[in-house]
C-alpha cells in the first residue's frame, strides 16, 4: 500500500478542478480499506470514487482514499431475473453496457451517467423516467469508525428524488463498497414514455424497441444536450429541480403560464431548474473559465482552469437571480466540498 503526498485531484473529479490531496491512496481491496481506516497517523479521511458529483473548492487536508474496488458477480438467478453484485469502483456506464451485452434489462435509461457504481445510491441517480431505486436490491457499506461492513436494503436507504440516507443521517459515516441490482432476463419493462425518448425512437423508425434501442436513444439525447466531462469539466445537473407546494405553484403559474412543470404526488409540483436559469439569461454565459452550458442551463461547466470557488460563486449568483425573479429557491445537487 503506497501513500502518496501532495497529489493533484484534477483527474479524479469530472469538474476537472485542480486542488491537491495532502495524502492519497488507491483502495483496491476490502481488507486494505479496513487497514487504511485504522491508520492512526492519518486521522482525517476523504473518499473519492468517480468524482462525478462533487465540487472541490479547496485543497483536501486529509488522506484521500480513491475507491478502486472492482468486480461483478452473480448472486441469484431464476428464469426471469438476475441479481448481480457490483463492486463500488466499477464505472457505471461500463456496467450498463455490460448488462446490455448479457441481455439484462433495467439499466438502459441510465446509460452514459458519469461516475462509479458506489456513488449511485447516495443520490439515487435518475434519468428519463428511471431511478436507481427501481433496480436496487441492497448495498454494502463500511462504517468508517469501526471498519465493519453493514447491509442496507432498499427501505433502509430511504431513497427520494436525488436523495437517500447517505445524504442525510448516514452522511460521511460510511463507504459504500458494493451494490446489488435486480435486472430482467426477459419481458423487459421498457420506459419510453419520456418525450425525448419517444421522439428519438420515432426518428429512427423504431416501433418495437429493444433495451439496446432505448439505451442508444438515451445516449443520443444525452450527447446532444450534456457536455462530455472528458472534454469540458462538469458534474451533470448542478442543481436539483425545485419542488414547490400547490399554493406556491398556483401563484407561480398564474404569473408564468408558459413555464414547464411536472405534477408530483401529494400536491407538489416540480419546476425544471434549467428553465428558470435560462429565463434569468444565464444559458451559455461564461465568466472566465466558469460557465453555464449552452445546451442545458442546469449544467455548470469548467472551460479549463476555473477554480471550485469560481464555480461556486457562479452557482450562488444563479441562485440569487432565480430567487429574485421567481421567489423560488434552487438547491445544488452536487456535493460541495468547502
Ligand atoms: N429546460 C429549459 N432550458 C434548459 C434546460 C431545460 O427550458 O436549459 C426545460 C426543457 O425545455 C424541459 C424541462 O426544462 O421542458 C426539462 O428539461 P430536461 O428534460 O432536459 O430535464 P431536466 O429536468 O433539466 C433532469 C435531470 C437530468 C436527467 C434529465 C432527463 C435533475 C436535476 N436532472 O433534467 O439528470 O438527465 O432530467 O431525465 O433532475 C443529472 O442529474 O446530472 C442529470 C443530467
Amino acid at each position: 500500500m503506497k501513500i502518496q503526498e501532495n497529489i493533484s485531484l484534477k483527474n479524479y473529479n469530472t469538474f476537472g478542478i485542480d486542488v491537491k490531496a495532502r495524502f492519497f491512496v488507491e483502495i483496491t481491496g476490502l481488507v486494505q480499506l479496513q487497514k487504511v481506516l485504522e491508520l492512526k497517523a492519518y486521522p482525517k479521511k476523504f473518499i473519492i470514487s468517480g468524482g462525478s458529483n462533487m465540487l472541490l473548492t479547496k485543497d483536501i487536508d486529509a488522506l484521500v482514499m480513491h475507491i478502486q474496488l472492482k468486480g461483478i458477480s452473480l448472486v441469484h438467478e431464476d428464469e426471469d431475473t438476475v441479481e448481480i453484485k457490483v463492486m463500488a469502483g466499477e464505472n457505471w456506464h461500463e456496467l450498463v453496457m455490460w448488462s446490455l451485452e448479457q441481455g439484462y434489462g433495467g439499466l438502459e435509461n441510465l446509460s452514459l451517467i458519469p461516475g462509479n457504481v458506489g456513488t449511485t445510491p447516495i443520490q439515487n441517480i435518475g434519468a428519463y423516467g428511471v431511478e436507481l431505486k427501481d433496480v436496487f436490491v441492497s448495498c454494502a457499506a463500511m462504517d468508517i469508525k469501526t471498519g465493519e461492513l453493514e447491509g442496507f436494503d432498499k427501505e433502509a436507504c430511504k431513497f427520494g428524488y436525488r436523495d437517500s440516507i447517505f445524504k442525510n443521517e448516514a452522511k460521511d459515516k460510511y463507504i459504500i463498497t458494493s451494490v446489488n441490482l435486480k435486472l430482467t432476463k426477459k419481458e423487459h419493462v421498457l420506459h419510453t414514455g419520456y418525450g425525448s425518448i419517444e421522439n428519438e425512437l420515432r426518428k429512427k423508425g423504431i416501433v418495437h424497441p429493444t433495451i439496446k434501442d432505448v439505451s442508444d436513444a438515451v445516449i443520443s439525447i444525452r450527447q446532444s444536450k450534456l457536455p462530455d466531462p472528458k472534454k469540458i469539466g462538469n458534474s451533470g445537473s448542478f442543481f436539483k429541480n425545485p419542488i414547490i407546494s400547490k399554493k406556491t405553484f398556483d401563484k407561480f403559474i398564474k404569473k408564468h403560464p408558459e413555464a414547464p412543470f411536472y405534477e408530483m404526488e401529494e400536491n407538489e409540483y416540480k419546476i425544471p431548474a434549467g428553465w428558470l436559469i435560462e429565463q434569468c439569461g444565464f444559458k451559455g454565459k461564461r465568466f472566465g473559465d466558469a460557465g453555464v452550458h449552452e445546451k442545458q442551463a442546469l449544467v455548470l461547466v469548467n472551460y479549463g482552469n476555473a477554480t471550485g470557488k469560481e464555480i461556486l460563486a457562479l452557482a450562488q449568483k444563479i441562485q440569487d437571480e432565480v430567487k429574485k425573479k421567481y421567489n423560488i429557491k434552487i438547491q445544488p445537487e452536487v456535493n460541495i466540498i468547502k
Side-chain angles (χ1 to χ4, degrees), residues 9-168:
L9 294 177
K10 191 172 168 71
N11 294 328
Y12 296 95
N13 69 101
T14 60
F15 247 126
I17 304 291
D18 195 4
V19 295
K20 282 203 170 61
R22 179 75 184 89
F23 301 103
F24 183 90
V25 64
E26 297 282 3
I27 302 290
T28 53
L30 287 175
V31 175
Q32 183 212 4
L33 177 57
Q34 264 158 343
K35 282 201 181 127
V36 171
L37 289 176
E38 279 167 14
L39 292 174
K40 296 269 181 315
Y42 308 93
K44 287 191 271 175
K45 316 258 186 345
F46 183 90
I47 304 141
I48 202 162
S49 183
S52 63
N53 202 43
M54 55 167 61
L55 178 65
L56 297 163
T57 64
K58 62 170 181 22
D59 289 341
I60 305 295
D61 183 23
L63 173 60
V64 172
M65 302 185 293
H66 185 226
I67 307 296
Q68 288 281 67
L69 302 164
K70 300 279 186 191
I72 304 175
S73 52
L74 184 71
V75 180
H76 175 78
E77 186 170 16
D78 59 30
E79 231 176 83
D80 304 319
T81 63
V82 62
E83 182 179 332
I84 52 169
K85 174 180 172 180
V86 191
M87 297 306 288
E90 289 288 343
N91 174 273
W92 176 262
H93 179 66
E94 283 168 23
L95 169 71
V96 176
M97 293 298 105
W98 173 87
S99 71
L100 292 171
E101 277 162 29
Q102 315 302 309
Y104 299 157
L107 304 184
E108 54 281 357
N109 292 49
L110 303 174
S111 298
L112 217 61
I113 294 183
N116 287 352
V117 169
T119 37
T120 58
I122 301 178
Q123 56 151 340
N124 180 26
I125 58 165
Y128 308 103
V130 174
E131 287 183 334
L132 179 78
K133 72 169 172 44
D134 301 328
V135 288
F136 182 92
V137 178
S138 62
C139 65
M142 195 176 282
D143 186 319
I144 293 176
K145 273 208 181 120
T146 65
E148 263 169 59
L149 272 183
E150 287 179 35
F152 289 78
D153 63 14
K154 199 192 281 198
E155 202 182 321
C157 289
K158 299 188 182 167
F159 289 125
Y161 165 59
R162 295 294 194 277
D163 200 27
S164 77
I165 190 168
F166 301 108
K167 273 189 157 183
N168 297 293

Side-chain angles (χ1 to χ4, degrees), residues 3 13 76 107 136 149 164 222 248 260 270 285 291 312 333:
I3 294 185
N13 69 101
H76 175 78
L107 304 184
F136 182 92
L149 272 183
S164 77
R222 289 190 74 100
T248 312
K270 203 194 249 179
K285 280 273 161 65
L312 187 60
E333 182 202 295

Side-chain angles (χ1 to χ4, degrees), residues 182-196:
K182 189 174 178 180
L183 306 175
T184 48
K185 286 165 68 181
K186 55 185 188 188
E187 286 165 44
H188 307 300
V189 186
L190 298 184
H191 299 269
T192 54
Y194 204 90
S196 45

Side-chain angles (χ1 to χ4, degrees), residues 53 113-114 123 126-129 161-162 194 196 222 225-226 235-241 260-262 270 272-276 278-279 283 293-299 333:
N53 202 43
I113 294 183
Q123 56 151 340
Y128 308 103
Y161 165 59
R162 295 294 194 277
Y194 204 90
S196 45
R222 289 190 74 100
K225 275 197 185 177
L226 298 168
S235 238
S237 301
F238 192 90
F239 298 101
K240 290 201 257 190
N241 288 328
F261 63 88
Y262 315 102
K270 203 194 249 179
W275 184 85
L276 298 168
E278 181 173 350
Q279 299 304 308
K283 195 170 183 169
H293 188 52
E294 54 188 7
K295 294 181 191 142
Q296 164 56 289
L298 201 47
V299 179
E333 182 202 295

